[in-house]
Amino acid sequence: MFAHINNKMKKYSILVLLSLFTLIASAQQQRVILISIDGFRPDFYLDKKWPAPNLQRLAKMGVNSPGVQSVFPSITYPSHTSIITGANPIHHGIYFNNVVGGKAKENIWYDNLIKTPTIWSALHQNGLTSAAVMWPVSVGAKIDYNFPTLRSEGDKTIDQVEVTRPHITPIDLFDEYEKNFGKINPKDFKAVNGNKHAQDKAVKKMSMYIFKKHKPSLTAIHFLSMDHAQHDHGREGREVEESLAIIDGLIGQIIDEVKSLGMEKNTTIIITGDHGFVNTNGLFSPNVLLKENGLFSNTKKYKAKFDSAGGSTFLYVKDNNPDVLKQVLALLNKLPEEEKKLFRILDRDELDKAGANPDAMLALTLKPGLKSTDKFNDIKLISSKKMGGNHGYFPDFHEIQTGFIAVGPNIQTQKVVENLGIIDIAPLIAKILNVEFKAPDGKLVPGILKKN
C-alpha cells in the first residue's frame, strides 16, 4: 500500500515540477509590444517643446533614430505591410491604401492580398502567438488575437464593432472582453468628430487586455488619431499637441502595466510609425492635363490616367502603350518652368529601385506643399486649398520620415541608430523572438540589440 502511495506522490511531484518549469519558461520567453503611431515624427521625442515626456524618456533610455525611411508611396497601408513583412511594396503587393481602379475609398483590408510572408505567419509556424489591434491589412491573418482594421465601404454611420465582429479572432474575443469591461460603445473604435481620442483609448485598452490575459509573443498596436490631427491641421497646432499628449499618456500606461505584471525583464517595446507629415496648401490635378489633350475621359475610359497617393501620383497607360507614355512625358515637359518645378518625374527604373508599384509606367513626386488629386472636372491643374497636412511623397527628405524608439532587456541603452528603414523592423522582431524570418528587403540593423 505504501509503495502505491509513494508512486502516486512521485507522479504528483513530477507533474508539479513540469508545471513549474512551464511557468518559468513562459515567464522567461521574450515578448514584443510593437506600437505604431500613424504619422509619427522623430521631432516628437527629439524636441522638448512637444508634450511627450514618456516618448522622450524612452528615447533617452534605449535606442532611437533621428529619422526612419518610409516606403514609396509613404502612406499607411503599404507602410504597415512593410513593417510586418520586411518587404517593399513591389514585393509584398500592397501598393496603396485603396484598390487601383476600384470604387471610391475601396480600401485594402485582407491579409491574403499580401504576397510575402508576414511576421504573424512566422510566429504561427514556430508555435508562438500574436495579437494585433486595428492593424491595417490584417483581416484573416494568422493572428491569434486579432481586432483588424475594417470599415463598411462609404458608410460613415455604420457600427464599427458589428462590421468587424465576424472577422475578430477568436470569434468570442469581444464577448470575453465585454464580460470584463461591459458593453463596448461602437464609437470607441471609430474616429469621429469629438470622439477621436476615444478610439486610441479603446485600442490601448483592448490591446493590454489581450496582453495581460493571453500573453502573446507579439502584440501589435496601431494608434490613429495623430494622422487625423495632422491631415486636418498640418504639422503644428493645438490639435496635434493634444493627440500626441493622449498617445504619450497611453504609452506611459502600457509601460506601467507591463511592470505591474513583472514582465519588463522579458518584454521589448518598439515604437515606430508609417510616415511623417508635410504642410500642404495647394492641389495638383494632372488628369486635367490629360483630359485637355484627349488622353482621359474618366477613370473607366482613358488612354492614360493618374492615380493620386497624397504627395505623389502614379501614371497608368492603357495596354502599357509606349507611344501614349511618350505623349504624357511630352505634355509634362512642355509645362511652364514654374509648374515643372512643382514635381519630379520618377521613371520605371527609379520606381524599381524604390520598390514601388510595378504596374505604373511612371510617378510624380510633388514639391512639399502640394497634394495630388484625381479630379478632372471644374478644377485647374494647380489650385489652392485650405492649409492641412499630407504624406505620400518620395521618402527622401526629413519631414516625411517617421520615428523609432526601442527599449527592453535585449536593447542597447542610450544609443542613436541611423540608416534605419521601416522594412528593418520585422527582422528585428524576429531576432528578439528567436524565429527564422527572411525579409525580402529589410535587414537586421547593427547597434540596436546588445551584442550578447
Side-chain angles (χ1 to χ4, degrees):
M1 184 179 85
F2 289 109
H4 177 68
I5 292 172
N6 215 18
N7 285 334
K8 287 183 84 172
M9 289 289 288
K10 283 181 181 178
K11 287 179 182 178
Y12 178 75
S13 298
I14 291 169
L15 286 172
V16 169
L17 284 171
L18 285 172
S19 298
L20 184 60
F21 288 144
T22 302
L23 285 170
I24 292 170
S26 176
Q28 292 176 340
Q29 182 189 33
Q30 293 300 307
R31 289 180 172 80
V32 172
I33 296 177
L34 170 64
I35 300 171
S36 168
I37 304 172
D38 211 303
F40 186 40
R41 291 156 36 199
D43 47 307
F44 292 155
Y45 54 83
L46 295 176
D47 188 342
K48 286 188 176 181
K49 80 169 188 177
W50 292 100
N54 290 303
L55 288 171
Q56 291 160 12
R57 176 175 58 85
L58 294 171
K60 285 184 178 180
M61 283 173 52
V63 172
N64 78 77
S65 171
V68 177
Q69 175 120 348
S70 186
V71 294
F72 186 57
S74 49
I75 55 178
T76 299
Y77 285 35
S79 298
H80 277 85
T81 307
S82 291
I83 289 172
I84 54 99
T85 61
N88 283 311
I90 198 170
H91 292 133
H92 64 55
I94 308 301
Y95 309 129
F96 305 102
N97 290 351
N98 59 294
V99 179
V100 176
K103 299 175 184 177
K105 296 185 179 179
E106 186 182 356
N107 282 27
I108 297 170
W109 312 117
Y110 294 89
D111 172 89
N112 62 8
L113 297 173
I114 301 174
K115 297 177 181 178
T116 55
T118 64
I119 195 69
W120 329 120
S121 56
L123 292 171
H124 182 78
Q125 288 170 4
N126 284 270
L128 299 177
T129 58
S130 61
V133 180
M134 293 297 284
W135 199 269
V137 200
S138 66
V139 177
K142 290 186 182 299
I143 301 172
D144 299 272
Y145 309 97
N146 189 19
F147 183 91
T149 295
L150 181 66
R151 292 191 298 274
S152 178
E153 304 292 357
D155 189 344
K156 295 182 180 179
T157 64
I158 200 72
D159 183 333
Q160 172 71 63
V161 171
E162 291 311 308
V163 170
T164 310
R165 191 183 288 271
H167 304 280
I168 295 169
T169 53
I171 194 67
D172 62 349
L173 179 62
F174 245 36
D175 297 330
E176 176 190 312
Y177 180 86
E178 288 184 327
K179 282 179 183 177
N180 287 273
F181 298 107
K183 189 165 179 60
I184 291 170
N185 182 348
K187 291 182 179 179
D188 286 353
F189 281 93
K190 185 176 181 181
V192 295
N193 290 335
N195 199 45
K196 292 179 180 178
H197 304 304
Q199 185 182 57
D200 285 341
K201 292 174 184 178
V203 166
K204 176 261 166 186
K205 192 173 181 181
M206 169 68 76
S207 302
M208 292 312 291
Y209 169 74
I210 295 170
F211 183 80
K212 292 175 184 178
K213 172 87 178 194
H214 301 287
K215 298 180 175 58
S217 296
L218 171 63
T219 303
I221 304 169
H222 180 206
F223 290 132
L224 291 88
S225 69
M226 179 60 65
D227 183 75
H228 299 306
Q230 292 178 100
H231 273 299
D232 292 344
H233 305 283
R235 287 171 57 89
E236 310 286 331
R238 179 184 59 80
E239 293 83 0
V240 178
E241 291 183 3
E242 184 180 90
S243 179
L244 178 60
I246 293 288
I247 292 171
D248 185 78
L250 295 174
I251 289 171
Q253 291 174 28
I254 290 171
I255 299 289
D256 290 343
E257 289 175 41
V258 170
K259 287 181 178 178
S260 71
L261 293 168
M263 294 175 65
E264 71 271 22
K265 292 183 179 178
N266 66 321
T267 300
T268 298
I269 294 177
I270 297 172
I271 304 165
T272 189
D274 45 3
H275 51 72
F277 255 90
V278 174
N279 287 334
T280 52
N281 57 12
L283 297 176
F284 183 76
S285 307
N287 283 330
V288 170
L289 181 65
L290 300 184
K291 186 177 181 182
E292 288 174 349
N293 290 275
L295 295 176
F296 179 92
S297 295
N298 55 55
T299 54
K300 299 298 180 185
K301 188 178 179 182
Y302 64 90
K303 290 182 180 179
K305 71 171 181 177
F306 280 98
D307 195 84
S308 66
S312 61
T313 186
F314 289 72
L315 178 72
Y316 300 88
V317 173
K318 187 75 78 177
D319 301 321
N320 290 336
N321 188 321
D323 292 330
V324 174
L325 176 62
K326 287 178 183 177
Q327 283 182 267
V328 175
L329 284 168
L331 291 172
L332 292 171
N333 287 319
K334 284 180 183 177
L335 289 171
E337 286 300 320
E338 62 270 20
E339 293 182 358
K340 284 198 289 185
K341 290 178 181 178
L342 300 177
F343 60 84
R344 178 163 69 91
I345 299 173
L346 302 169
D347 62 19
R348 191 59 253 175
D349 286 344
E350 288 179 281
L351 292 179
D352 287 339
K353 288 177 185 176
N357 178 13
D359 300 324
M361 297 201 77
L362 62 79
L364 308 179
T365 184
L366 306 185
K367 179 182 177 181
L370 284 179
K371 173 192 174 184
S372 65
T373 81
D374 297 334
K375 296 178 181 179
F376 52 90
N377 286 327
D378 303 319
I379 192 170
K380 296 179 181 179
L381 176 64
I382 300 162
S383 56
S384 60
K385 70 178 285 287
K386 181 183 176 183
M387 171 63 77
N390 228 275
H391 48 91
Y393 302 86
F394 195 82
D396 59 350
F397 60 102
H398 181 69
E399 282 181 311
I400 206 62
Q401 290 182 321
T402 190
F404 175 88
I405 299 170
V407 292
N410 300 308
I411 302 295
Q412 295 214 42
T413 56
Q414 299 179 330
K415 188 78 181 283
V416 175
V417 173
E418 299 186 12
N419 302 316
L420 183 66
I422 60 174
I423 57 174
D424 301 321
I425 292 172
L428 174 63
I429 294 170
K431 184 67 174 178
I432 293 169
L433 297 179
N434 195 28
V435 296
E436 187 74 22
F437 185 77
K438 293 183 179 179
D441 302 300
K443 61 186 182 301
L444 186 63
V445 174
I448 299 175
L449 294 174
K450 292 177 180 176
K451 292 183 180 179
N452 61 349

